[in-house]
Amino acid sequence: KFEGFKKKLVEDNERQYGTEARAAYGDEAVDASNAKVMGMSEEQYQAVQGIEAAMREALIAGMAEGDPAGEQAQRAADLHRQWLIAFWKDGQYSPAAHKGMVEMYVADERFRKYYEAMAPGAAEFLREAVLAYCS
């Protein structure tokens, strides 16, 4: 059942973002990310979901503090990094790629909508927190 869930997750992601992601990052990077998802155990997937939930909580707390360089905002940025590397090839991390992702969250309405559902201004606040985190 979990294998079917992962397959659908990858297929849905390919349908929504595949062409765009492949043009931006190349087939190898997208294929590697898909393989990481397909290779996850249910426990690993749940752990990644937990990281995402903790990032949301820290982001909301950081917004309440009002400082993108503050403790909770920086915790959100670090959790966001952990979440990203769960999907990136070989868990490789690049501050430049991290900054590029959050710029996309603000620029692309599909991603902005996802973060704005957490709280108004969340996409911009996460971008500012990650920019501070990466500096």
Side-chain angles (χ1 to χ4, degrees), residues 49-71:
Q49 294 299 102
I51 290 169
E52 183 180 21
M55 185 275 300
R56 287 175 180 221
E57 290 174 14
L59 181 61
I60 300 302
M63 291 177 74
E65 289 177 354
D67 180 8
E71 182 180 343

Side-chain angles (χ1 to χ4, degrees), residues 2-135:
F2 183 65
E3 292 304 313
F5 167 77
K6 291 188 298 186
K7 184 177 180 192
K8 183 176 181 337
L9 192 66
V10 168
E11 287 171 353
D12 289 350
N13 192 60
E14 278 285 344
R15 192 171 23 264
Q16 282 187 292
Y17 308 110
T19 302
E20 203 174 339
R22 288 176 184 283
Y25 306 110
D27 288 337
E28 183 181 340
V30 174
D31 291 343
S33 180
N34 289 342
K36 282 193 86 167
V37 171
M38 292 305 296
M40 284 183 185
S41 68
E42 192 166 354
E43 293 76 21
Q44 288 170 318
Y45 183 78
Q46 291 303 322
V48 170
Q49 294 299 102
I51 290 169
E52 183 180 21
M55 185 275 300
R56 287 175 180 221
E57 290 174 14
L59 181 61
I60 300 302
M63 291 177 74
E65 289 177 354
D67 180 8
E71 182 180 343
Q72 288 299 315
Q74 291 305 287
R75 181 171 173 264
D78 184 62
L79 288 162
H80 187 256
R81 176 194 60 80
Q82 292 175 47
W83 180 81
L84 286 174
I85 63 174
F87 299 101
W88 285 358
K89 181 182 176 185
D90 301 325
Q92 296 174 353
Y93 174 74
S94 157
H98 195 181
K99 291 189 283 189
M101 289 297 292
V102 293
E103 289 293 347
M104 180 180 64
Y105 293 169
V106 173
D108 188 311
E109 192 58 38
R110 296 168 297 179
F111 293 101
R112 179 192 270 297
K113 184 178 174 182
Y114 175 82
Y115 285 94
E116 294 299 304
M118 293 178 202
E124 289 90 354
F125 191 85
L126 178 59
R127 177 189 58 195
E128 295 307 312
V130 168
L131 294 177
Y133 179 83
C134 291
S135 64

